[in-house]
Amino acid sequence: RVDVVTLGETMAMLRAPGIGLLRHAASLDVSTGGAETNLAIGLSRLGHRVAWIGRVGADEFGALICRTLAAEGVDCRAVEDPGAPTGLMIKSRRTEAVTRVNYYRRGSAGSRLCPRDVDPDLVTRSRLLYVSGITPALSADAREAVRYAIDVARAAGVPVCLSLNYRAALWGPEAFRAELTELVARADLVFAGEGEARLVVGGDTAEDVGRSLAALGPGQVLVTRGELGAVAVVEGEALVARAYPVRAVDPVGAGDAFAAGYLSGLLDGESVVDCLDRASLAGAFAVTVPGDWEGLPSRADLALLSAEDAVLR
Ligand code: ATP
């Protein structure tokens, strides 16, 4: 049985190794990135069985994505689409503190995900379904694929986990609010950055925002606040989690890591407090390494942030 099934778009990522204008980068590092596969890799590293459904182009970047997921132990259910290229994202740092991501994804293979790509048996056999608010913005077909996966999961009693993941390059705040209000109402567990959550609901504090999201339906809402930590609203009760103090070099991917840590705890039957701790640890690991998922911890790594010795032999 699969622990978690997820679907969405993963792209090749080109990353400038230094700081400054992209035009002066003499070379770019090649990797991959996508919210759902970042989450899948995070869960796989923590020992869970994860499957990812998506589309890639019949090209080298598509092969890179499948190869990376296989190497990370993720069951890659990619449809190879000969009619469109694998999407691209380019990450650069204009200053030490500001990361910029440019997307080349319109019309990409990943954006052509459709309900036919979603294997209902795989969803039914999973313990959790994980979807993000990025996929419905990619195309009408991709939006239908998300709705179909949610329908199948709900009919089978498989809990639905949703990450808001607002992407301003894909749609405006009104369209996002309309779509995500519907999706949140059909989710059991919601992950949201505080800022993007405010695009969907109101509230003064992070706890208020979490309670407003929970009022739409989900029994568990996690509102993340970067280095300020996170607030959980679980079955009406609010809990606060502090972030681990680390030196952040790349903030992208922290939310996906946090979700992986939290769901890992949930799959292990841990208490909410322990799920939050694993989530915060995973989030802290993600920001200490350049790359969206490369820094994600294994189970053994989790203990390292409280290790007393700086050198382990
Ligand atoms: P992204 O969309 O870039 O993946 P996000 O905005 O969804 O990220 P954040 O709120 O930035 O997610 O971070 C999620 C969690 O990761 C935080 O709640 C915190 O536990 C951890 N985290 C993020 N940034 C830091 C940091 N600088 N130091 C320590 N922990 C961090």
Side-chain angles (χ1 to χ4, degrees), residues 165 193 224-227 229-230 243-244 246 248 251-256 258 279-280 283-284 287:
N165 274 320
T224 62
R225 312 175 65 212
E227 63 188 10
Y244 280 83
V246 292
V252 182
D256 307 327
F258 182 93
S280 304
V287 301

Side-chain angles (χ1 to χ4, degrees), residues 45 285 295-305:
R45 285 194 179 179
F285 268 98
L296 291 170
S298 66
R299 235 164 236 259
D301 289 340
L302 290 174
L304 288 179
L305 280 188

Side-chain angles (χ1 to χ4, degrees), residues 20-70:
L21 288 168
L22 201 49
R23 73 188 75 156
H24 300 302
S27 64
L28 297 170
D29 296 334
V30 184
S31 182
T32 64
E36 299 85 358
T37 49
N38 299 343
L39 171 105
I41 291 169
L43 280 167
S44 180
R45 285 194 179 179
L46 290 170
H48 305 282
R49 273 162 303 178
V50 197
W52 172 75
I53 298 167
R55 277 190 180 231
V56 296
D59 50 32
E60 279 299 306
F61 287 144
L64 171 66
I65 289 168
C66 295
R67 185 183 163 92
T68 301
L69 292 175

